[in-house]
Each structure stands twice: as C-alpha cells, then as structure tokens.
C-alpha cells in the first residue's frame, strides 16, 4: 500500500476523463467525487478501469453533458429507474449516480432510495475501504474525503463496516459474502465487531439468490489463497449454510488411541496447493471437493484403523448435488469436476505400486484430455508431514508423468478405443442393445489396453467370436 497526498492524488487523476468531468460538474454547479473500488485500488496500487462517480445532484445530467464534451466515440446509457448512467469512451467506463440515502424493507435487499448528501451516500457503502472519495471539482481536485477511516483500515489490513455491521449486513446480506471475499483477495482480517455480526445475521442470507452467493464464492475460489475465505466462512457459520459437505469434513475421531486426520484442513491445503499452480476455477473446485465422500465412507476396522473405502466414488456422486444447490453449471464443467473427484485416487494407487504401462494406459483412457489436471490435483493431494513418504510419492508421480509422456510419444492413444464399436458387435452376433454388448465391448477394450492383442479389426473379430462362444456356452450349461 502507498499513501498519497492530495497533490499526488491530483496528479494521478490528471487525465482527460477526470478533467472533463470536473469541468462539467463545475459548469453545472454540483459536487462530483470518484468513489469506491477505484479509490481503494489507487492506494493498493492495483489496476482498475471501472470508475464510479457520485454527484451531489443529478448524476444523469452530468453524464449527458460529459458525452457531449467528449464527442465522437463516446456512448451513453441511462437507467432512469435507478438514477444512474454509464459513459463509455474507448476503454474507459464511468458510472454516474446521484448521492442518495437508502432504507430497506427486511424481506428484500432492494432499497427505498432518496436524494442525499455525500455523507449519506458514503455511509451506505459496504466497507470503510470502499467508502473513500476523491473530489474532482476544480478548486478541490484531488482532495481525499475519508469520513470512516478507510485509509487507516487499509494500513492495518482490516475489513470493517462504516456503520453498525448488523445494519449493514441486514440491509444487504450479500455484503456478508463480499466481506469474506475482500478478506480473502486482499489477505485482510475481518474486524472483530464486523465478524461477530456475520454470525448473528446468517439467516439473512436466505433472501439472497444462490446465483449471487455463488458469484462471490467463485471470486473467493479464484483468490491466491482461497483457503482463507473457506476458513472464515467456517468460523462464522456461512459454510454450513452453503457448503455443508465441506463443513462436515471438520472433525477428527479417535478410537483406541488412533485418530484420522482433519480432512477439512487437508482439503484446504490441497486447494491452496492447486491454486499455486493453476487458475482453472473448476480444477480448484475439484481440489476443494475431492474428499467430500469421506464422512459417508468412514469406517473403523480394528485390524487397520480408520478407512475411507470408495470415498472418491461416493464424493463424485455428491458433486452434482453441490453444483445443483449452488446453481453452478450443470454442463461439461460439472462433469469435469465429477471426473477428477472420481479419479483422484488412481494416480496415487499407481504411484504407490509398480508403474506399469497397462495401468498408465487405463488412466490415460479414463482421464483423456484432463490427465495433466488430474496429475496436478494428485500431486497437490500429497500433504503428508512424513518428509520421506512425501518425497517418495512425488518421485513416483514423476515416474508416472514420464510414463504418460512416453506413451503419448509412442502414440498409444490409438489403443484407447478399439476399432470395433458396439454397433458392429450387435451386427456380428445379431444382438439387441443390452448387457451382452457391454460385456463384449469391455472385453476387447481391456484386451487392447493390456496390449494382449493389436487394435486390428480381424484380430478383434476373432477374439470377439471366441468370447461370445464362451459366454453363450455358459448360458446353455446353466
């Protein structure tokens, strides 16, 4: 963060767009201020193209005059029902609104809006770091207005509401998700009084659409260390409302002096590991959800201790439920997450045993084009505190990757799908679509993947005839 004087802020804003707004505001006899995220990002030295301007008067009138002044290449959109307007000039967008005060009905996040002062307008904003303004009128150009000590909160790394947090969150409960999002993306702490209000107002989230909640959740997932936001949601109770499957991982049971690891913190470590290597949102989701099947699969076996057999299969089936609740895409993106959750144990099993061509071919066949992402997930999943075991796993994963690369070079992809499909099998034996066709398809697929026979039509037809004879003979004997 960098502190700037008013004179330095004036230099930063010394651009055509701000000078033009300044001239229009002075000509109209109204006050104009740059506000919100644009001001915050100046001090955080982050790029920001979207500019919000509050006018103590008619924001629409100033926008209309600005379009006239900028002339060719400028567009204007007016939203009179909301009292706002947008001016676009090349790659710059400016949103104008008149200063206003708001009041809320408890059953809606849509406010009743009235004209107000600059202080009215700033006080209704979500957090102090977003409640700063810079005047752009001629005689005060560059003057910072910081009524709620947002600058000090940025220096201290705090997320705090300008007003009583219970009022701020109750009026617009989506601000609760934004609170967690800013704490995550900026790596700030949530001020104690603000945090306590998150828990007190949990039920207010019920009036917010899941689409809007998920939009904020995905921004948290795309942060450099998304675990910060997931932990904050767990601490305040939000996680239990929107992602109970992840909350359920936060438990450790001990029996006969043997405890299993806390799979909640393990999942967050895996998520951060993946996030350091990939900006793929859906790969990050797979990382967060990869162990959600463990609570349902957990068993105590006296001989071996705690087991989680088939948690990957159980978890993969749960992904659809999670995505449906969160209104996340129900398309190829969800199928991708399902696939990675289901397959995430396969490379680990291979790496823990002898890395054979056959096992790697099967993995390549099932993972397809997502094999590299699957390997990133699996490598991120090795969070053992046993340095020797962790090193051995990662070394074995290196061998798996080398084997994958080797098989790709040798063009083994042609082996993954036998050159005889189900339709030809049905024609060969005059079979209807059904279980027998599936058995024969799997038989030749496995034969090809195991390199028992070459992927050639004549060879596969002969093999199919032998298998069909074997199967039908058994049926006759039975």
């Amino acid at each position: 963060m960098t502190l700037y004087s008013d004179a330095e802020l004036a230099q930063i804003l010394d651009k055509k767009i701000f000078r033009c707004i300044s001239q229009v505001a002075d000509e109209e006899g109204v006050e104009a201020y740059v506000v919100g995220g644009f001001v915050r990002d100046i001090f955080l030295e982050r790029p920001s193209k979207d500019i919000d301007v509050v006018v103590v008067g008619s924001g629409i009138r100033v926008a209309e005059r600005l379009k006239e002044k900028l002339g060719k290449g400028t567009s204007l959109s007016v939203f009179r029902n909301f009292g706002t307007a947008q001016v676009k000039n090349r790659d710059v967008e400016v949103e104008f609104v008149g200063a206003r005060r708001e009041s809320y009905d408890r059953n809606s996040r849509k406010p009743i809006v009235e004209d107000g002062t600059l202080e009215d307008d700033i006080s209704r904003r979500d957090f102090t770091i977003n409640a700063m303004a810079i005047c752009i009128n001629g005689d005060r150009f560059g003057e910072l207005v910081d009524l709620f000590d947002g600058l000090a909160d940025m220096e201290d790394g705090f997320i705090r509401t300008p007003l009583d947090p219970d009022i701020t969150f109750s009026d617009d409960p989506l601000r609760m998700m934004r609170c967690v999002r800013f704490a995550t993306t900026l790596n700030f702490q949530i001020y104690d009084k603000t945090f306590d209000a998150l828990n007190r107002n949990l039920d207010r989230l019920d009036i917010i659409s899941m689409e809007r909640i998920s939009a904020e959740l995905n921004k948290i997932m795309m942060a450099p260390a998304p675990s910060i936001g997931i932990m904050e949601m767990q601490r305040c109770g939000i996680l239990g409302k929107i992602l109970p499957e992840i909350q359920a991982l936060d438990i450790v049971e001990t029996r006969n002096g043997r405890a299993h690891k806390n799979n909640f913190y393990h999942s967050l470590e895996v998520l951060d590991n993946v996030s350091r290597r990939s900006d793929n949102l859906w790969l990050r989701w797979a990382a967060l959800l990869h162990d959600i099947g463990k609570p349902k699969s957990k068993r105590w076996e006296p001989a071996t201790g705690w087991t989680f057999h088939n948690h990957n299969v159980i978890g993969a089936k749960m992904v659809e439920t999670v995505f449906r609740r969160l209104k996340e895409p129900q398309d190829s993106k969800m199928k991708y997450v399902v696939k990675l959750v289901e397959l995430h144990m396969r490379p680990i099993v291979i790496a823990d045993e002898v890395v054979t061509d056959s096992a790697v071919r099967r993995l390549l066949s099932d993972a397809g084009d997502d094999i590299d992402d699957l390997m990133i997930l699996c490598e991120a999943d090795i969070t053992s505190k046993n340095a020797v075991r962790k090193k051995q796993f990662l070394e074995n994963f290196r061998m798996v990757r080398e084997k994958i690369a080797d098989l790709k070079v040798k063009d083994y992809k042609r082996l993954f799908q036998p050159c005889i499909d189900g339709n030809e099998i049905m024609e060969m034996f005059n079979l209807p679509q059904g279980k027998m066709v599936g058995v024969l398809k799997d038989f030749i697929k496995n034969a090809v993947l195991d390199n028992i026979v070459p992927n050639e039509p004549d060879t596969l037809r002969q093999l199919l005839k032998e298998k069909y004879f074997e199967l039908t003979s058994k049926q006759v004997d039975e």
Side-chain angles (χ1 to χ4, degrees):
M1 176 184 169
T2 303
L3 296 177
Y4 295 105
S5 66
D6 289 354
E8 289 171 325
L9 290 174
Q11 285 186 320
I12 291 171
L13 296 182
D14 190 15
K15 296 179 174 60
K16 179 181 178 181
I17 187 70
F18 295 112
R19 288 298 181 185
C20 286
I21 297 171
S22 177
Q23 291 172 15
V24 169
D26 287 347
E27 289 167 5
E28 291 293 315
V30 295
E31 296 176 18
Y33 300 86
V34 183
V35 297
F38 188 87
V39 177
R40 178 199 67 225
D41 288 341
I42 287 175
F43 292 99
L44 292 178
E45 298 184 286
R46 304 197 313 175
S48 182
K49 288 186 177 180
D50 296 333
I51 305 166
D52 292 321
V53 172
V54 166
V55 176
V56 185
S58 173
I60 292 176
R61 174 62 180 160
V62 172
E64 290 171 338
R65 288 286 317 281
L66 178 65
K67 180 184 183 301
E68 294 172 5
K69 186 173 286 290
L70 291 174
K72 188 176 180 181
T74 305
S75 64
L76 170 69
S77 302
V78 176
F79 310 95
R80 296 195 183 277
N81 288 343
F82 301 97
T84 64
Q86 181 189 74
V87 174
K88 290 185 180 180
N89 180 258
R90 297 182 174 85
D91 62 341
V92 176
E93 294 183 9
V94 185
E95 297 277 352
F96 289 88
V97 65
R100 56 192 184 179
R101 66 167 63 95
E102 296 177 346
S103 58
Y104 287 80
D105 181 276
R106 182 161 179 81
N107 296 316
S108 172
R109 63 183 294 267
K110 294 181 180 179
I112 299 169
V113 179
E114 302 173 286
D115 291 341
T117 64
L118 175 67
E119 184 172 357
D120 289 330
D121 195 275
I122 287 179
S123 67
R124 71 182 177 79
R125 295 181 180 271
D126 49 10
F127 308 111
T128 59
I129 62 172
N130 296 330
M132 296 181 292
I134 301 174
C135 185
I136 49 176
N137 289 90
D139 59 344
R140 296 171 56 203
F141 195 87
E143 179 185 309
L144 178 67
V145 179
D146 184 13
L147 302 178
F148 298 99
D149 295 324
L151 204 56
D153 284 341
M154 273 202 292
E155 282 191 275
D156 295 336
F158 278 125
I159 303 296
R160 183 171 62 89
T161 58
L163 302 179
D164 181 333
D166 287 307
I167 295 173
T168 298
F169 293 147
S170 182
D171 282 351
D172 184 355
L174 187 64
R175 290 168 175 165
M176 298 165 71
M177 291 297 299
R178 286 170 56 83
C179 178
V180 175
R181 191 243 293 181
F182 280 118
T184 308
T185 56
L186 299 178
N187 196 18
F188 281 12
Q189 289 185 325
I190 301 173
Y191 194 67
D192 286 347
K193 289 183 179 179
T194 302
F195 183 86
D196 292 342
L198 291 174
N199 183 262
R200 287 195 297 270
N201 290 275
L202 279 180
D203 290 343
R204 295 291 289 148
L205 279 173
D206 294 341
I207 71 169
I208 303 297
S209 72
M210 191 54 75
E211 288 87 349
R212 294 183 71 87
I213 290 174
S214 289
E216 292 295 329
L217 184 56
N218 283 339
K219 291 175 183 177
I220 291 169
M221 291 290 287
M222 288 304 294
S227 65
I228 295 171
I230 306 299
M231 281 193 285
E232 292 293 74
M233 287 192 289
Q234 172 72 330
R235 284 204 311 130
C236 71
I238 292 176
L239 195 66
K241 287 186 73 72
I242 62 177
L243 272 174
E245 296 84 357
I246 301 301
Q247 182 194 49
L249 295 172
D250 192 7
I251 188 172
V252 175
E253 286 192 57
T254 302
R255 225 181 254 195
N256 295 348
R258 300 174 71 176
H260 62 76
K261 66 186 174 186
N262 185 306
N263 289 300
F264 174 74
Y265 290 105
H266 163 73
S267 295
L268 296 193
E269 188 174 353
V270 175
L271 173 58
D272 282 353
N273 287 344
V274 165
S275 299
R276 281 190 282 271
R277 297 183 61 183
S278 174
D279 288 331
N280 181 340
L281 172 63
W282 309 110
L283 177 55
R284 293 183 180 205
W285 268 109
L288 180 63
L289 300 178
H290 80 284
D291 273 350
I292 57 172
K294 282 192 170 179
K296 290 186 177 181
S297 64
K298 184 168 66 175
R299 298 289 184 273
W300 170 259
E301 297 178 2
T304 57
W306 294 106
T307 65
F308 302 92
H309 296 310
N310 293 321
H311 74 273
N312 55 315
V313 177
I314 294 170
K317 292 177 180 178
M318 295 168 66
V319 169
E320 184 175 352
T321 301
V322 173
F323 269 48
R324 189 164 55 246
R325 181 195 318 120
L326 296 178
K327 307 297 183 185
E328 294 286 6
Q330 309 288 299
D331 54 14
S332 59
K333 298 180 181 67
M334 183 185 75
K335 292 178 181 177
Y336 165 90
V337 176
V338 169
K339 180 201 283 190
L340 294 194
V341 171
E342 184 170 356
L343 292 179
H344 82 270
M345 292 299 294
R346 286 274 293 279
I348 293 174
V349 171
I350 293 172
D352 208 20
E353 299 173 353
V354 178
V355 183
T356 65
D357 283 5
S358 177
V360 175
R361 282 196 204 98
R362 289 175 185 278
L363 179 63
L364 275 167
S365 175
D366 292 338
D369 293 337
D370 300 318
I371 184 64
D372 290 334
D373 287 350
L374 178 62
M375 292 302 297
I376 290 174
L377 172 59
C378 292
E379 288 163 350
D381 197 18
I382 305 304
T383 61
S384 173
K385 300 302 181 281
N386 183 323
V388 174
R389 180 163 172 76
K390 183 174 182 178
K391 181 178 179 181
Q392 184 61 54
F393 261 116
L394 294 177
E395 174 61 21
N396 286 358
F397 275 139
R398 185 188 63 77
M399 294 169 60
V400 172
R401 281 187 176 275
E402 287 182 354
K403 185 70 70 174
I404 289 171
D406 185 49
L407 291 177
K408 284 181 176 179
V409 168
K410 294 178 180 177
D411 198 25
Y412 270 89
K413 279 188 175 182
R414 64 186 177 82
L415 297 176
F416 295 162
Q417 291 300 326
C419 57
I420 293 179
D421 61 14
N423 291 327
E424 186 170 349
I425 292 173
M426 291 163 65
E427 290 179 10
M428 281 180 64
F429 304 109
N430 195 26
L431 290 172
Q433 189 170 4
K435 183 178 179 180
M436 176 66 82
V437 177
V439 169
L440 292 172
K441 280 180 63 178
D442 287 343
F443 172 70
I444 59 170
K445 177 181 177 180
N446 289 331
V448 168
L449 288 173
D450 289 335
N451 211 22
I452 295 172
V453 294
N455 191 8
E456 299 171 354
D458 291 342
T459 305
L460 293 184
R461 289 192 191 101
Q462 181 58 39
L463 196 64
L464 278 168
K465 289 176 183 177
E466 294 171 5
K467 186 63 177 179
Y468 180 74
F469 177 77
E470 176 190 331
L471 293 172
T472 53
S473 296
K474 286 182 179 178
Q475 290 176 350
V476 170
D477 292 341
E478 293 172 356

